[in-house]
Amino acid sequence: MAYDFDLFVIGGGSAGVRCARIAAGHGARVGVAEERFWGGTCVNVGCVPKKIMVNAAEYGLWAGDAAAFGWDIENRGHDWAKLAAARDAEVARLSGIYDKLLKGAGATSFNARATFIDAHTLQVGDQRVTAERIVIATGGTAQRLDIPGAELGCISDDLFTMKALPKRVAVLGSGYIAVEFACLLRGLGAEVDLVYRAPMPLRGFDEDIRTALTEALTAQGIRLNPDVSPTRITRADDELLLGLSTNFVREVDAVFFCTGRLPNTQGLNLDAADVATKPNGAVVVDEHHATSQPHIFAIGDVIDRVNLTPMATAVGHALADTLFGGRPRQASYENVPTAVFTSPPIGTVGLTEAEAAKRGKVDIYLTRFTPMRHTISKREGRKTVMKLVVDQASQKIVGAHMLGEDAAEIMQGIGIAVVMGATKQDFDRTIGIHPTAAEEFVTLRTRAREAG
Ligand code: NDP
C-alpha cells in the first residue's frame, strides 16, 4: 500500500521535532502535527522560560552581594512586566525556529491535533493522512491533586501567563518543578511556603544533596512544610486559603500544584490503533521504543521514563537514524546528567550513595565549603557541597553530585568523564583549574566514609 508519509510524528516538542527533522534529512517523507505550540513544553512552558526567570531571580541576589565587592547599587525593585516581555519574545523566537527547522528539513508541518483512526491512519485537523510508521511524541501535562478547590490552584504553565508576581505563594510538592519554582519566586520577592509530604525535598536525589538543599531553602527564607499534605483550597475575598493536613491554614495569593505530570495520551484514540498504555496513560514501549504495534513508536515524556529534554532529543534522533538512516542505535538511559535550577543549583550524574551501596562497597568523597564569592559577600546559606561515589572494587566514579554555584555547568563535563568510565585515579591525575569550585572534584583526597 502507498502511504501519504513514510513517517508521521504526533507532537512538535523536543522529541518529535528532532525525530522528524532527522528522518526528513535521511530522505523520508515526514509529516508532523502540533496542536498547541512548536517546541513543546521545554521551549514554551518549561526549561526555557523557567531558566530566564531563574536568571532574573539570580540578578536580584547578585545586586544584593555587589556592595561587598565595592559597588554602590540601589535596587529599586523588580519589573515583572519587563521580564515577562523579554521572556515571551525569546520563547516566540525559539518556537519559530523549531517550525522553521522542520520546514527547512523538508518535513510537512500541520498546526492541528492528530488522532488515530486505525493503526496507519490519522485524522489531522480536517485532513485524513496515512503513514507507514507513526511516532507518538505528545509529552505530558502538569496535574493538580484531587482535593476540594483544586481548580483555584495553578499549574506550572500558569506562571508564564501571570501578570504580576503573586506576593504570597504556596508551592505544593518537592520535585524538580516545586523546588525550582519556590526558589525563583522567592528570588523575585515572594513569600513562599513549600508544602510536601516527604521529610525532605527531592526524593530520589542523594541524601547529602537533599540535606544541603533543605538548608539552602531555609536560608533564603522559604518556609518549609515537610510531612504535610494539602487538604483543600477555598477563596476568601481576594486571597486563597490553603488547608493543610496539620490543620493549619495558609493565606496566600497563589497555590502552585507541582505534584507531577501525566503523559498526554487522552484523546489520541489509541484504542483504534491497538496501542497499549500503562494505568497512568504512559505508552508502553520496548527497548527500541516500539509500542504494542511494531510500526508505531513512542518517545519523550509520553513514555514517562526519563522526562528530560536532552533525553527526548537523543532518543528521537536515534530512532530516526535507526528507521531511516541505516544506522541502528539507541540512546542510553544510564548516567544521564541532570540539573535542578534551585538557588544554588544542583547538578548530578550517576548513582546516589544509597543506590550505589545496594550494588556493592563504595568509597564516598565529600566536601563542603563556602565558595570564594560568598566568603566576600558573607551571604548566608550558600555553602557548596560536592560528592563523589566511587565503586570500591573498580575505583570507577559511579556517581557525582553537587549543590552550589554553577553546579549545572560543572556537571556537564563531569558527566562526560562518568559516561566514559573514569576512575577516581583519573580524576586525581587531572590538574585543577584554580581558583574555581570545580577543581574540588579533582582534589578530593580523603575518603569521608565507606558504604555498602
Ligand atoms: P516530580 O515527579 O519530580 O515531583 C512530583 C512531586 O509531587 C513530588 O514531590 C511528589 O512527592 C509530589 N506528589 C505527587 N503526588 C502527590 C500526592 N498525591 N500528594 C502529595 N504530593 C504528591 O515531578 P515534577 O512535576 O516536579 O517534574 C516532572 C518531571 O519533569 C521531572 O521528574 C523531571 O524529569 C522533569 N523536569 C526537569 C527539570 C530540569 O531538568 N531542571 C525541571 C522541571 C521538570 P513524593 O516525592 O513524595 O512522591
Side-chain angles (χ1 to χ4, degrees):
M1 172 179 174
Y3 296 102
D4 300 329
F5 292 100
D6 300 320
L7 174 71
F8 200 94
V9 179
I10 310 175
S14 307
V17 168
R18 177 64 71 89
C19 183
R21 201 159 62 77
I22 301 302
H26 288 313
R29 294 170 307 140
V30 180
V32 196
E34 168 57 49
E35 69 168 335
R36 198 173 169 205
F37 28 48
W38 294 99
T41 300
C42 170
V43 170
N44 295 279
V45 287
C47 324
V48 170
K50 178 276 309 283
K51 182 79 183 280
I52 292 168
M53 297 187 76
V54 167
N55 288 155
E58 278 171 352
Y59 273 105
L61 295 175
W62 287 345
D65 289 347
F69 291 86
W71 291 101
D72 181 9
I73 292 178
E74 191 189 349
N75 183 349
R76 277 171 292 174
H78 181 257
D79 184 338
W80 177 276
K82 196 166 180 179
L83 169 64
R87 177 197 66 205
D88 295 349
E90 178 60 4
V91 166
R93 187 183 73 84
L94 289 174
S95 182
I97 286 175
Y98 267 70
D99 193 21
K100 269 199 211 100
L101 282 174
L102 274 176
K103 292 195 172 102
T108 308
S109 54
F110 297 81
N111 293 302
R113 183 175 183 75
T115 50
F116 281 92
I117 291 172
D118 62 42
H120 283 284
T121 313
L122 297 163
Q123 185 70 36
V124 183
D126 54 9
Q127 298 181 50
R128 196 165 274 214
V129 302
T130 58
E132 185 176 4
R133 293 183 175 110
I134 296 171
V135 167
I136 303 166
T138 46
T141 304
Q143 298 299 310
R144 290 176 175 80
L145 295 179
D146 186 13
I147 57 169
E151 69 285 354
L152 297 170
C154 310
I155 58 167
S156 52
D157 295 15
D158 299 323
L159 177 68
F160 309 114
T161 52
M162 283 183 160
K163 297 292 173 231
L165 173 74
K167 296 280 179 289
R168 299 164 302 166
V169 185
V171 176
L172 310 181
S174 61
Y176 277 80
I177 298 179
V179 293
E180 288 181 345
F181 271 37
C183 290
L184 77 86
L185 288 163
R186 179 74 193 130
L188 291 172
E191 283 174 31
V192 178
D193 264 279
L194 188 65
V195 177
Y196 49 101
R197 63 183 177 180
M200 276 203 290
L202 281 186
R203 184 167 60 83
F205 280 67
D206 189 90
E207 293 293 299
D208 284 308
I209 298 298
R210 296 176 76 191
T211 305
L213 177 65
T214 304
E215 289 165 17
L217 295 173
T218 306
Q220 63 204 269
I222 294 170
R223 183 155 52 170
L224 301 185
N225 302 261
D227 300 307
V228 177
S229 293
T231 53
R232 62 172 56 241
I233 307 174
T234 46
R235 184 179 289 290
D237 300 326
D238 55 356
E239 63 181 11
L240 298 176
L241 304 179
L242 173 69
L244 302 176
S245 53
T246 48
N247 290 329
F248 282 106
V249 172
R250 292 271 183 263
E251 295 154 4
V252 293
D253 302 307
V255 176
F256 276 98
F257 283 96
C258 302
T259 44
R261 298 172 60 85
L262 282 182
N264 289 331
T265 46
Q266 281 181 339
L268 280 177
N269 201 22
L270 290 178
D271 287 349
D274 251 338
V275 170
T277 54
K278 295 181 190 166
N280 73 349
V283 179
V284 178
V285 290
D286 66 13
E287 71 272 26
H288 305 292
H289 292 91
T291 66
S292 46
Q293 289 280 5
H295 70 282
I296 301 178
F297 301 83
I299 56 177
D301 287 4
V302 78
I303 64 170
D304 194 25
R305 198 161 168 194
V306 173
N307 297 334
L308 299 172
T309 295
M311 193 71 237
T313 50
V315 168
H317 200 133
L319 182 62
D321 282 349
T322 302
L323 296 179
F324 300 104
R327 204 156 63 91
R329 64 187 188 91
Q330 285 181 33
S332 170
Y333 283 91
E334 296 278 302
N335 290 325
V336 176
T338 178
V340 190
F341 293 98
T342 42
S343 176
I346 292 168
T348 174
V349 62
L351 304 176
T352 64
E353 177 178 339
E355 287 166 342
K358 277 191 208 137
R359 300 184 184 191
K361 285 246 178 296
V362 283
D363 296 331
I364 303 300
Y365 294 84
L366 186 64
T367 180
R368 195 181 145 84
F369 58 95
T370 300
M372 191 189 276
R373 184 189 298 163
H374 297 305
T375 58
I376 304 296
S377 78
K378 307 280 187 257
R379 182 141 44 100
E380 292 293 319
R382 301 302 285 194
K383 284 258 191 293
T384 291
V385 174
M386 293 162 102
K387 177 170 180 177
L388 288 177
V389 182
V390 183
D391 173 63
Q392 206 170 76
S394 66
Q395 284 298 298
K396 277 194 178 164
I397 311 282
V398 293
H401 309 275
M402 173 174 177
L403 174 142
E405 318 287 341
D406 304 317
E409 303 293 340
I410 291 169
M411 199 52 66
Q412 186 68 78
I414 302 286
I416 298 171
V418 173
V419 167
M420 290 178 76
T423 61
K424 179 68 171 63
Q425 289 65 40
D426 291 325
F427 273 51
D428 292 345
R429 68 192 170 89
T430 303
I431 306 297
I433 299 173
H434 186 72
T436 63
E439 68 180 316
E440 294 288 324
F441 269 127
V442 295
T443 55
L444 285 165
R445 297 279 174 257
T446 313
R447 187 175 75 169
R449 58 179 177 267
E450 180 188 67

mmCIF file with all atom_site columns, all heavy atoms in Angstrom, residues 426-438:
data_model
loop_
_atom_site.group_PDB
_atom_site.id
_atom_site.type_symbol
_atom_site.label_atom_id
_atom_site.label_alt_id
_atom_site.label_comp_id
_atom_site.label_asym_id
_atom_site.label_entity_id
_atom_site.label_seq_id
_atom_site.pdbx_PDB_ins_code
_atom_site.Cartn_x
_atom_site.Cartn_y
_atom_site.Cartn_z
_atom_site.occupancy
_atom_site.B_iso_or_equiv
_atom_site.pdbx_formal_charge
_atom_site.auth_seq_id
_atom_site.auth_comp_id
_atom_site.auth_asym_id
_atom_site.auth_atom_id
_atom_site.pdbx_PDB_model_num
ATOM 1  N N   . ASP A 1 426 ? 41.762 8.691  37.661 1.00 0.00 ? 426 ASP A N   1
ATOM 2  C CA  . ASP A 1 426 ? 41.692 9.613  36.505 1.00 0.00 ? 426 ASP A CA  1
ATOM 3  C C   . ASP A 1 426 ? 41.356 11.026 36.992 1.00 0.00 ? 426 ASP A C   1
ATOM 4  O O   . ASP A 1 426 ? 41.920 12.015 36.505 1.00 0.00 ? 426 ASP A O   1
ATOM 5  C CB  . ASP A 1 426 ? 40.616 9.152  35.507 1.00 0.00 ? 426 ASP A CB  1
ATOM 6  C CG  . ASP A 1 426 ? 40.987 7.865  34.797 1.00 0.00 ? 426 ASP A CG  1
ATOM 7  O OD1 . ASP A 1 426 ? 42.183 7.671  34.522 1.00 0.00 ? 426 ASP A OD1 1
ATOM 8  O OD2 . ASP A 1 426 ? 40.083 7.051  34.538 1.00 0.00 ? 426 ASP A OD2 1
ATOM 9  N N   . PHE A 1 427 ? 40.437 11.112 37.928 1.00 0.00 ? 427 PHE A N   1
ATOM 10 C CA  . PHE A 1 427 ? 40.105 12.429 38.487 1.00 0.00 ? 427 PHE A CA  1
ATOM 11 C C   . PHE A 1 427 ? 41.334 13.003 39.194 1.00 0.00 ? 427 PHE A C   1
ATOM 12 O O   . PHE A 1 427 ? 41.674 14.172 39.027 1.00 0.00 ? 427 PHE A O   1
ATOM 13 C CB  . PHE A 1 427 ? 38.931 12.323 39.476 1.00 0.00 ? 427 PHE A CB  1
ATOM 14 C CG  . PHE A 1 427 ? 37.562 12.432 38.831 1.00 0.00 ? 427 PHE A CG  1
ATOM 15 C CD1 . PHE A 1 427 ? 37.218 11.655 37.734 1.00 0.00 ? 427 PHE A CD1 1
ATOM 16 C CD2 . PHE A 1 427 ? 36.614 13.320 39.323 1.00 0.00 ? 427 PHE A CD2 1
ATOM 17 C CE1 . PHE A 1 427 ? 35.969 11.753 37.137 1.00 0.00 ? 427 PHE A CE1 1
ATOM 18 C CE2 . PHE A 1 427 ? 35.359 13.438 38.735 1.00 0.00 ? 427 PHE A CE2 1
ATOM 19 C CZ  . PHE A 1 427 ? 35.033 12.653 37.643 1.00 0.00 ? 427 PHE A CZ  1
ATOM 20 N N   . ASP A 1 428 ? 42.028 12.140 39.981 1.00 0.00 ? 428 ASP A N   1
ATOM 21 C CA  . ASP A 1 428 ? 43.165 12.610 40.784 1.00 0.00 ? 428 ASP A CA  1
ATOM 22 C C   . ASP A 1 428 ? 44.308 13.137 39.917 1.00 0.00 ? 428 ASP A C   1
ATOM 23 O O   . ASP A 1 428 ? 45.014 14.063 40.296 1.00 0.00 ? 428 ASP A O   1
ATOM 24 C CB  . ASP A 1 428 ? 43.716 11.464 41.664 1.00 0.00 ? 428 ASP A CB  1
ATOM 25 C CG  . ASP A 1 428 ? 42.744 11.067 42.753 1.00 0.00 ? 428 ASP A CG  1
ATOM 26 O OD1 . ASP A 1 428 ? 41.797 11.829 43.015 1.00 0.00 ? 428 ASP A OD1 1
ATOM 27 O OD2 . ASP A 1 428 ? 42.922 9.977  43.332 1.00 0.00 ? 428 ASP A OD2 1
ATOM 28 N N   . ARG A 1 429 ? 44.500 12.521 38.742 1.00 0.00 ? 429 ARG A N   1
ATOM 29 C CA  . ARG A 1 429 ? 45.639 12.958 37.916 1.00 0.00 ? 429 ARG A CA  1
ATOM 30 C C   . ARG A 1 429 ? 45.281 14.136 37.004 1.00 0.00 ? 429 ARG A C   1
ATOM 31 O O   . ARG A 1 429 ? 46.118 14.641 36.265 1.00 0.00 ? 429 ARG A O   1
ATOM 32 C CB  . ARG A 1 429 ? 46.222 11.787 37.110 1.00 0.00 ? 429 ARG A CB  1
ATOM 33 C CG  . ARG A 1 429 ? 45.343 11.241 36.025 1.00 0.00 ? 429 ARG A CG  1
ATOM 34 C CD  . ARG A 1 429 ? 45.895 9.905  35.506 1.00 0.00 ? 429 ARG A CD  1
ATOM 35 N NE  . ARG A 1 429 ? 44.936 9.243  34.628 1.00 0.00 ? 429 ARG A NE  1
ATOM 36 C CZ  . ARG A 1 429 ? 44.874 9.429  33.329 1.00 0.00 ? 429 ARG A CZ  1
ATOM 37 N NH1 . ARG A 1 429 ? 45.715 10.239 32.727 1.00 0.00 ? 429 ARG A NH1 1
ATOM 38 N NH2 . ARG A 1 429 ? 43.985 8.788  32.601 1.00 0.00 ? 429 ARG A NH2 1
ATOM 39 N N   . THR A 1 430 ? 44.021 14.548 37.068 1.00 0.00 ? 430 THR A N   1
ATOM 40 C CA  . THR A 1 430 ? 43.609 15.727 36.297 1.00 0.00 ? 430 THR A CA  1
ATOM 41 C C   . THR A 1 430 ? 43.969 16.985 37.082 1.00 0.00 ? 430 THR A C   1
ATOM 42 O O   . THR A 1 430 ? 43.679 17.084 38.277 1.00 0.00 ? 430 THR A O   1
ATOM 43 C CB  . THR A 1 430 ? 42.086 15.689 36.047 1.00 0.00 ? 430 THR A CB  1
ATOM 44 O OG1 . THR A 1 430 ? 41.776 14.474 35.369 1.00 0.00 ? 430 THR A OG1 1
ATOM 45 C CG2 . THR A 1 430 ? 41.633 16.875 35.206 1.00 0.00 ? 430 THR A CG2 1
ATOM 46 N N   . ILE A 1 431 ? 44.629 17.922 36.432 1.00 0.00 ? 431 ILE A N   1
ATOM 47 C CA  . ILE A 1 431 ? 45.038 19.161 37.105 1.00 0.00 ? 431 ILE A CA  1
ATOM 48 C C   . ILE A 1 431 ? 43.818 20.071 37.258 1.00 0.00 ? 431 ILE A C   1
ATOM 49 O O   . ILE A 1 431 ? 43.040 20.243 36.325 1.00 0.00 ? 431 ILE A O   1
ATOM 50 C CB  . ILE A 1 431 ? 46.126 19.892 36.273 1.00 0.00 ? 431 ILE A CB  1
ATOM 51 C CG1 . ILE A 1 431 ? 47.299 18.959 35.961 1.00 0.00 ? 431 ILE A CG1 1
ATOM 52 C CG2 . ILE A 1 431 ? 46.590 21.171 36.981 1.00 0.00 ? 431 ILE A CG2 1
ATOM 53 C CD1 . ILE A 1 431 ? 48.064 18.440 37.163 1.00 0.00 ? 431 ILE A CD1 1
ATOM 54 N N   . GLY A 1 432 ? 43.686 20.639 38.417 1.00 0.00 ? 432 GLY A N   1
ATOM 55 C CA  . GLY A 1 432 ? 42.546 21.514 38.679 1.00 0.00 ? 432 GLY A CA  1
ATOM 56 C C   . GLY A 1 432 ? 42.688 22.874 38.000 1.00 0.00 ? 432 GLY A C   1
ATOM 57 O O   . GLY A 1 432 ? 43.788 23.272 37.588 1.00 0.00 ? 432 GLY A O   1
ATOM 58 N N   . ILE A 1 433 ? 41.590 23.548 37.849 1.00 0.00 ? 433 ILE A N   1
ATOM 59 C CA  . ILE A 1 433 ? 41.597 24.937 37.350 1.00 0.00 ? 433 ILE A CA  1
ATOM 60 C C   . ILE A 1 433 ? 41.410 25.830 38.571 1.00 0.00 ? 433 ILE A C   1
ATOM 61 O O   . ILE A 1 433 ? 40.404 25.708 39.278 1.00 0.00 ? 433 ILE A O   1
ATOM 62 C CB  . ILE A 1 433 ? 40.468 25.171 36.337 1.00 0.00 ? 433 ILE A CB  1
ATOM 63 C CG1 . ILE A 1 433 ? 40.636 24.245 35.126 1.00 0.00 ? 433 ILE A CG1 1
ATOM 64 C CG2 . ILE A 1 433 ? 40.437 26.643 35.903 1.00 0.00 ? 433 ILE A CG2 1
ATOM 65 C CD1 . ILE A 1 433 ? 39.475 24.295 34.145 1.00 0.00 ? 433 ILE A CD1 1
ATOM 66 N N   . HIS A 1 434 ? 42.356 26.704 38.792 1.00 0.00 ? 434 HIS A N   1
ATOM 67 C CA  . HIS A 1 434 ? 42.381 27.443 40.050 1.00 0.00 ? 434 HIS A CA  1
ATOM 68 C C   . HIS A 1 434 ? 42.224 28.945 39.820 1.00 0.00 ? 434 HIS A C   1
ATOM 69 O O   . HIS A 1 434 ? 42.805 29.461 38.875 1.00 0.00 ? 434 HIS A O   1
ATOM 70 C CB  . HIS A 1 434 ? 43.719 27.170 40.751 1.00 0.00 ? 434 HIS A CB  1
ATOM 71 C CG  . HIS A 1 434 ? 43.795 27.752 42.119 1.00 0.00 ? 434 HIS A CG  1
ATOM 72 N ND1 . HIS A 1 434 ? 43.077 27.233 43.183 1.00 0.00 ? 434 HIS A ND1 1
ATOM 73 C CD2 . HIS A 1 434 ? 44.490 28.807 42.591 1.00 0.00 ? 434 HIS A CD2 1
ATOM 74 C CE1 . HIS A 1 434 ? 43.333 27.963 44.256 1.00 0.00 ? 434 HIS A CE1 1
ATOM 75 N NE2 . HIS A 1 434 ? 44.191 28.923 43.924 1.00 0.00 ? 434 HIS A NE2 1
ATOM 76 N N   . PRO A 1 435 ? 41.481 29.661 40.614 1.00 0.00 ? 435 PRO A N   1
ATOM 77 C CA  . PRO A 1 435 ? 40.643 29.177 41.713 1.00 0.00 ? 435 PRO A CA  1
ATOM 78 C C   . PRO A 1 435 ? 39.209 29.005 41.237 1.00 0.00 ? 435 PRO A C   1
ATOM 79 O O   . PRO A 1 435 ? 38.576 29.959 40.770 1.00 0.00 ? 435 PRO A O   1
ATOM 80 C CB  . PRO A 1 435 ? 40.745 30.319 42.729 1.00 0.00 ? 435 PRO A CB  1
ATOM 81 C CG  . PRO A 1 435 ? 41.023 31.552 41.910 1.00 0.00 ? 435 PRO A CG  1
ATOM 82 C CD  . PRO A 1 435 ? 41.597 31.127 40.590 1.00 0.00 ? 435 PRO A CD  1
ATOM 83 N N   . THR A 1 436 ? 38.724 27.805 41.339 1.00 0.00 ? 436 THR A N   1
ATOM 84 C CA  . THR A 1 436 ? 37.339 27.502 40.985 1.00 0.00 ? 436 THR A CA  1
ATOM 85 C C   . THR A 1 436 ? 36.768 26.571 42.052 1.00 0.00 ? 436 THR A C   1
ATOM 86 O O   . THR A 1 436 ? 37.522 26.008 42.856 1.00 0.00 ? 436 THR A O   1
ATOM 87 C CB  . THR A 1 436 ? 37.238 26.750 39.636 1.00 0.00 ? 436 THR A CB  1
ATOM 88 O OG1 . THR A 1 436 ? 37.919 25.491 39.770 1.00 0.00 ? 436 THR A OG1 1
ATOM 89 C CG2 . THR A 1 436 ? 37.823 27.527 38.478 1.00 0.00 ? 436 THR A CG2 1
ATOM 90 N N   . ALA A 1 437 ? 35.460 26.396 41.998 1.00 0.00 ? 437 ALA A N   1
ATOM 91 C CA  . ALA A 1 437 ? 34.844 25.364 42.835 1.00 0.00 ? 437 ALA A CA  1
ATOM 92 C C   . ALA A 1 437 ? 35.052 24.014 42.173 1.00 0.00 ? 437 ALA A C   1
ATOM 93 O O   . ALA A 1 437 ? 35.299 23.002 42.833 1.00 0.00 ? 437 ALA A O   1
ATOM 94 C CB  . ALA A 1 437 ? 33.355 25.650 42.995 1.00 0.00 ? 437 ALA A CB  1
ATOM 95 N N   . ALA A 1 438 ? 35.009 24.000 40.833 1.00 0.00 ? 438 ALA A N   1
ATOM 96 C CA  . ALA A 1 438 ? 35.083 22.745 40.082 1.00 0.00 ? 438 ALA A CA  1
ATOM 97 C C   . ALA A 1 438 ? 36.350 21.959 40.406 1.00 0.00 ? 438 ALA A C   1
ATOM 98 O O   . ALA A 1 438 ? 36.353 20.727 40.394 1.00 0.00 ? 438 ALA A O   1
ATOM 99 C CB  . ALA A 1 438 ? 35.015 23.046 38.589 1.00 0.00 ? 438 ALA A CB  1
#
